[in-house]
Amino acid sequence: MAVTKHGRFIYITNTASNNISFYYVDEQGALYLIQNEAAKTDDGPLDIVVAENNYFVYELNSKSNTIGGYHRKLKRELEFISSASNLPAPATGLATY
């Protein structure tokens, strides 16, 4: 799970269905599902981060050994922009700064 900079939106990787879900968090902390499949991923999404600038989302796929990159659009939709492949098999997490 990755939370945006101001804590209002959450992206969650779903390993079994190979996608990313998108939630809104209200002022009381209640979660609301916005999109069940905000983006389709490669095989086995394991980890996800939102970049510090709040404009990009990256997810790590453990079974395909790839990282997917997405741009957060105006309505918080995810648009696929790039991927990195041939990661070493023991890759297990992402970090952002």
Side-chain angles (χ1 to χ4, degrees):
M1 159 174 98
V3 180
T4 59
K5 189 173 186 175
H6 301 290
R8 288 287 181 220
F9 301 99
I10 297 175
Y11 295 97
I12 298 176
T13 55
N14 304 302
T15 305
S17 56
N18 297 324
N19 67 20
I20 300 170
S21 295
F22 176 47
Y23 291 81
Y24 170 73
V25 182
D26 72 11
E27 286 122 16
Q28 287 77 35
L31 289 175
Y32 297 93
L33 178 64
I34 303 299
Q35 286 182 296
N36 188 47
E37 188 174 283
K40 191 75 178 149
T41 67
D42 280 345
D43 200 18
L46 177 68
D47 198 9
I48 190 165
V49 295
V50 176
E52 179 66 28
N53 67 9
N54 226 26
Y55 291 112
F56 299 98
V57 173
Y58 301 96
E59 48 86 20
L60 173 66
N61 301 291
S62 62
K63 292 180 183 174
S64 60
N65 297 324
T66 60
I67 294 175
Y70 304 84
H71 179 255
R72 291 182 65 225
K73 296 177 75 173
L74 184 61
K75 294 183 179 180
R76 309 303 187 250
E77 299 163 337
L78 292 180
E79 175 184 37
F80 179 78
I81 54 171
S82 67
S83 68
S85 58
N86 298 322
L87 299 176
T92 58
L94 293 171
T96 184
Y97 65 94

